[in-house]
Amino acid sequence: MKILIVGSGGREHALAWKIAASPRVSKVFVAPGNAGTAIEATNVPIAATDKAGLVRFAKEQSIDLVVVGPEAPLVAGLVDDLQAAGIAAFGPTAAAAELEGSKVFCKNLLHTANIPTAAYQTFRRAEDASRYIKELYPETDAPAPVVVKADGLASGKGVIVCETRREALDAIDRIASKREFGEAGNSLIIEERLIGQEASVLAITDGSTILTLPAAQDHKPAYDGDRGPNTGGMGAYSPTPLVDDAMMARIEADVLVPVVHAMKRARRPFRGVLYAGLMLTNAGPKVLEFNTRFGDPECQPLLMRWESDLVDVLEAVGRGRLDQVDAPTWSPQPSLCVVMASEGYPGDYETGRVITGLDRAAEVEGVKVFHAGTTLRDGQVVTDGGRVLGVTAMADTISGAKLRAYQAVKEIRWPGAWCRKDISDKALAWAR
Ligand code: AMP
Ligand code: GLY
């Protein structure tokens, strides 16, 4: 088989690495890819958002399956265009990807289908949203435990968790008046702030059969101890002791099954990866958001533990025959990914810094360094994004995997490189 992977992040490097290992696959392309995907596959200089260019390339090369990594091309309808051209693709159609593309659509669907989620209100105008906050919290310095969210896609950054009324009003101003997230701020949501531990549960579905993957935990805030602004994700590990078998059964029954059903009923059958971002509250698991693709960085530890052939599953989804493939087998070893980022991320950052030590890092036992924001320049690997590398490790225990990952991190250098130092500590604290 010839497979084309669309995207250029750590997730796509992990996908390329895993897909290239399949005995059924003869050729893997990544568009546009990064310096890491170039090791596993052939990079093609077509942007992930260039739908016409991707369809043309897939036709020319007689690609058997296109695997779409990021949300933007899914929401823009890349899978629809590929299918219209007779090319098999893994990922939801634009109509189904709206579950991620519009938080308002997602919340309304959850509400209609009676799926547990935070109480919310939606607004189109900044004035209305501000008035709502002022009515809810009449005193100027009042605590205001709310979360303000831009409706559309904002690379994980359009969600502002607030403590006070002032912060909530400021968040509304940033999203709806200053338009920091552009058109994503055409509508906004104000929702109740939930308390609990977060977990990511990803499932692969063909719209009827649901294959739930082991639970993972992401680390969204930029700095140690979950402080600082939200990012795309600074590290992840899997499995997480936060989700035991009973909790997983509850998540499947209360969240995954009803969502797949509700999407079908809404005439938007969902095929691809359904990623539930959950808060495990005292009142049970509640949905924070849905993504319609593999999580980045959750994908890296998940695929490192996935032992059987990923391609069998991806292909079966495209044919609507997920019921006919064996469930994947998983390594019993936990896996953990530490994201190394550019100075300034999630704000502005510079690129083009030469990265050294990748060879030494790769020699650490049980470690695979997935590239995210990297590119090749004059034969050297240089930084090319905010999240630069996903240093991923497996070991017999989570703490063992953590040790290995950070040992590899220590070998890697570029000016301004940083990472969170506490990936997985929440799991260890929980298990204690
Ligand atoms: P989202 O992109 O909607 O998952 O939001 C990004 C992050 O913001 C989540 O991973 C949570 O850490 C936080 N968050 C979002 N919604 C809420 C909420 N209702 N209560 C508490 N934290 C939230
Ligand atoms: N790691 C969170 C995401 O992929 O959106």
Side-chain angles (χ1 to χ4, degrees):
M1 284 177 80
K2 287 165 93 177
I3 297 192
L4 168 64
I5 299 165
V6 176
S8 61
R11 164 187 48 219
E12 287 76 25
H13 186 184
L15 284 166
W17 170 76
K18 182 68 188 158
I19 287 171
S22 167
R24 300 180 56 199
V25 172
S26 55
K27 182 84 194 162
V28 184
F29 296 100
V30 187
N34 58 40
T37 60
I39 302 166
E40 329 286 346
T42 303
N43 285 352
V44 193
I46 306 174
T49 45
D50 179 1
K51 288 194 289 177
L54 291 166
V55 172
R56 201 178 316 122
F57 178 83
K59 266 187 166 162
E60 277 166 15
Q61 294 289 331
S62 311
I63 297 291
D64 298 294
L65 179 68
V66 180
V67 180
V68 185
E71 58 275 24
L74 293 170
V75 170
L78 175 58
V79 168
D80 308 60
D81 290 5
L82 287 163
Q83 283 171 352
I87 300 154
F90 178 83
T93 59
E98 206 174 344
L99 201 54
E100 172 164 8
S102 166
K103 288 186 188 288
V104 172
F105 172 80
C106 176
K107 290 294 283 194
N108 291 344
L109 184 107
L110 292 173
H111 182 69
T112 313
N114 218 359
I115 295 164
T117 189
Y120 70 104
Q121 293 281 339
T122 64
F123 299 92
R124 290 199 146 272
R125 290 161 16 118
E127 307 85 83
D128 297 341
S130 302
R131 189 174 328 112
Y132 173 76
I133 287 291
K134 286 175 185 162
E135 278 168 16
L136 212 55
Y137 305 102
E139 285 168 39
T140 321
D141 291 320
V146 297
V147 184
V148 184
K149 301 184 174 184
D151 175 47
L153 295 181
S155 307
K157 295 166 205 159
V159 172
I160 304 167
V161 180
C162 306
E163 307 271 356
T164 62
R165 176 176 123 143
R166 193 187 311 270
E167 282 173 14
L169 293 173
D170 183 56
I172 293 167
D173 189 49
R174 285 173 58 194
I175 292 172
S177 303
K178 296 203 183 98
R179 292 302 177 114
E180 258 178 52
F181 310 100
E183 285 190 8
N186 284 354
S187 295
L188 66 80
I189 288 176
I190 298 178
E191 66 179 36
E192 158 203 19
R193 182 166 166 189
L194 300 172
I195 312 270
Q197 284 284 345
E198 276 181 61
S200 309
V201 174
L202 283 71
I204 296 180
T205 178
D206 61 0
S208 310
T209 303
I210 300 174
L211 175 75
T212 309
L213 313 186
Q217 192 173 37
D218 190 10
H219 295 67
K220 293 242 189 186
Y223 312 127
D224 286 13
D226 281 346
R227 282 189 295 271
N230 265 333
T231 67
M234 294 301 297
Y237 66 93
S238 175
T240 168
L242 298 171
V243 180
D244 58 14
D245 290 349
M247 178 62 86
M248 190 58 113
R250 190 164 175 191
I251 292 165
E252 285 176 350
D254 294 355
V255 175
L256 297 174
V257 170
V259 162
V260 169
H261 187 223
M263 290 297 283
K264 213 176 183 177
R265 238 178 13 214
R267 303 272 183 278
R268 301 171 189 242
F270 192 94
R271 287 184 173 181
V273 177
L274 195 55
Y275 163 142
L278 300 162
M279 187 73 91
L280 309 177
T281 73
N282 285 337
K286 295 193 178 184
V287 175
L288 294 174
E289 64 164 349
F290 268 106
N291 294 322
T292 57
R293 50 175 173 82
F294 282 109
D296 189 344
E298 292 94 325
C299 185
Q300 290 83 313
L302 281 172
L303 291 190
M304 212 161 162
R305 297 187 57 228
W306 186 310
E307 288 177 336
S308 45
D309 199 336
L310 174 67
V311 174
D312 291 344
V313 171
L314 302 182
E315 190 199 28
V317 168
R319 288 187 289 114
R321 297 323 315 242
L322 192 53
D323 58 336
Q324 293 187 338
V325 292
D326 292 335
T329 53
W330 299 93
S331 164
Q333 291 194 322
S335 173
L336 178 144
C337 172
V338 176
V339 171
M340 295 182 73
S342 293
E343 185 173 10
Y345 177 79
D348 296 339
Y349 52 82
E350 284 177 18
T351 59
R353 303 266 159 92
V354 176
I355 304 171
T356 59
L358 288 166
D359 293 344
R360 283 192 302 281
E363 281 166 17
V364 178
E365 197 186 345
V367 165
K368 173 77 187 170
V369 179
F370 293 114
H371 290 225
T374 69
T375 190
L376 283 169
R377 201 182 61 194
D378 307 328
Q380 285 181 310
V381 179
V382 301
T383 65
D384 195 37
R387 295 191 292 169
V388 176
L389 299 170
V391 181
T392 311
M394 284 216 294
D396 290 337
T397 59
I398 295 182
S399 44
K402 181 183 176 194
L403 212 65
R404 285 177 170 174
Y406 282 104
Q407 211 179 324
V409 163
K410 259 197 251 154
E411 300 291 348
I412 301 172
R413 301 260 153 91
W414 73 85
W418 64 280
C419 64
R420 273 182 67 157
K421 298 287 190 294
D422 64 344
I423 302 305
S424 82
D425 286 2
K426 285 184 282 191
L428 301 174
W430 181 269
R432 223 170 260 141

